[in-house]
């Protein structure tokens, strides 16, 4: 059995730097790993119609219910899937993103793309299909996160520093690898989207309090644009002692 370990790290040059350097610039060959227990069997399989899209893609904003959809497992690894991944990178770069999940463009399937450098032609473009996390590190870190579905909103989110992932590539090949630092952060943010979890659900009550009005402004914008009541309201959210949890560590 071949195993792939991929470790990236973010070097801080100054407290203001937004430049990410990678200790290892390329992902390993998308090595097939026959991993016992790797199964996405529980989730409904996507049909070709689920992956139909119109370019250019548009980013879906909170509180659109598409962000809470149950995302289907991809079973067809065809040219349409490759075009969707390409279009997702295009809209991600145009909107200054470093990662994007399919539900954020209104397609309810388990697909994410990311490039922590955030510039076309720089860094590494990673496409993950039906990803699963096999391990989260116990060590956590805090980062001021933004989300393309919450334009202009940034707040601190605590997450595990590294993760072990099982996924398929865009051709359907299974592979396993580890990420840490910023790539692990972006992966987890997108992985949450694939579970219908939004970043504010990982914030402390105190942090959430700081962005509550901005969330309400997005809810009002949605109501004005659609003419229907917001499907969720931050003011109706019950205060939680703990944020949404992570899986196995
Ligand atoms: C830190 S994980 C953020 C992932 C997120 N993806 C989808 O919602 C994303 O790309 N958010 C952007 C707002 C973002 O983080 N952009 C970078 C680069 O411009 C930033 O530093 O703001
Ligand atoms: Fe997001």
């Amino acid at each position: 059995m071949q195993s792939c370990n991929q470790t990236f790290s973010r070097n801080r040059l100054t407290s203001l730097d937004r430049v990410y350097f990678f200790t290892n610039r390329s992902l390993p060959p998308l090595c097939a790993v026959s991993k016992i227990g790797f199964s996405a069997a529980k989730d409904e399989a996507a049909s070709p119609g689920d992956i139909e899209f119109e370019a250019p893609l548009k980013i879906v904003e909170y509180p659109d219910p598409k962000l809470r959809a149950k995302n289907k497992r991809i079973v067809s690894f065809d040219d349409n899937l490759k075009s969707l991944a390409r279009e997702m990178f295009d809209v991600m770069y145009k909107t200054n993103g470093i990662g994007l999940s399919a539900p954020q463009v209104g397609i309810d399937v388990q697909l994410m793309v990311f490039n922590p450098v955030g510039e076309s032609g720089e860094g590494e473009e990673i496409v993950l299909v039906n990803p699963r996390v096999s391990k989260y590190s116990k060590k956590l870190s805090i980062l001021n996160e933004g989300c393309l579905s919450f334009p202009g909103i940034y707040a601190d989110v605590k997450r595990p520093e590294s993760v072990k992932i099982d996924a398929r590539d865009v051709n359907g090949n299974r592979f396993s690898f580890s990420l840490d630092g910023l790539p692990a952060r972006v992966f987890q943010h997108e992985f949450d989207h694939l579970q219908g979890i939004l970043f504010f659900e990982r914030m402390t009550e105190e942090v959430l309090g700081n962005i509550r009005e901005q969330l309400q402004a997005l809810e009002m914008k949605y109501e004005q644009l659609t003419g229907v009541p917001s499907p969720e309201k931050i003011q109706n959210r019950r205060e939680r002692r703990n944020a949404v949890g992570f899986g196995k560590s």
Side-chain angles (χ1 to χ4, degrees), residues 18 20 59 92 95-101 104 113-114 116-118 143-154 159 182 185-190 193 199:
R18 301 296 291 172
Y20 308 111
I59 306 270
M92 182 193 91
T95 53
N96 297 321
I98 50 180
L100 190 64
S101 63
Q104 288 181 279
V113 302
F114 60 99
V117 174
L143 191 87
N144 198 251
E145 270 186 31
C147 176
L148 296 177
S149 298
F150 295 75
I153 304 182
Y154 284 82
R159 298 185 186 272
L182 184 66
R185 166 72 55 165
V186 184
F187 167 81
Q188 291 177 73
H189 180 109
E190 305 313 332
H193 276 296
F199 76 151

Side-chain angles (χ1 to χ4, degrees), residues 4 8 18 33 37 44-45 57 69 72 75 81 92 94 97 119 139-140 151 159 218 224:
C4 299
F8 296 94
R18 301 296 291 172
V33 176
E44 190 185 335
L57 297 168
K72 295 177 191 148
V75 291
L81 181 66
M92 182 193 91
K94 268 192 209 131
E119 296 289 339
K139 194 167 174 203
L140 307 173
R159 298 185 186 272
L218 284 179
Q224 278 156 9

Side-chain angles (χ1 to χ4, degrees), residues 141-178:
S141 62
I142 296 176
L143 191 87
N144 198 251
E145 270 186 31
C147 176
L148 296 177
S149 298
F150 295 75
I153 304 182
Y154 284 82
D156 285 354
V157 180
K158 196 192 261 184
R159 298 185 186 272
E161 226 166 63
S162 58
V163 276
K164 279 192 184 163
I165 300 156
D166 298 321
R168 288 184 190 265
D169 68 16
V170 80
N171 295 308
N173 301 310
R174 287 178 179 177
F175 65 110
S176 301
F177 63 109
S178 299

Side-chain angles (χ1 to χ4, degrees), residues 212 232-238:
R212 203 171 275 274
E232 58 184 290
K233 294 207 164 150
I234 196 67
Q235 73 179 35
N236 297 340
R237 188 172 177 274
R238 294 245 306 277

Side-chain angles (χ1 to χ4, degrees), residues 4 9-10 49 54 64-65 82 87 94 97 115 132 137 140 153 162 174 176 178 181 191 193 200 228 241 245 249:
C4 299
S9 69
R10 176 182 177 199
E54 244 178 69
D64 193 307
K82 294 180 181 78
E87 290 293 334
K94 268 192 209 131
N115 176 352
R132 299 286 180 272
S137 66
L140 307 173
I153 304 182
S162 58
R174 287 178 179 177
S176 301
S178 299
F191 185 67
H193 276 296
F200 69 80
V228 298
R241 296 244 315 277
S249 57

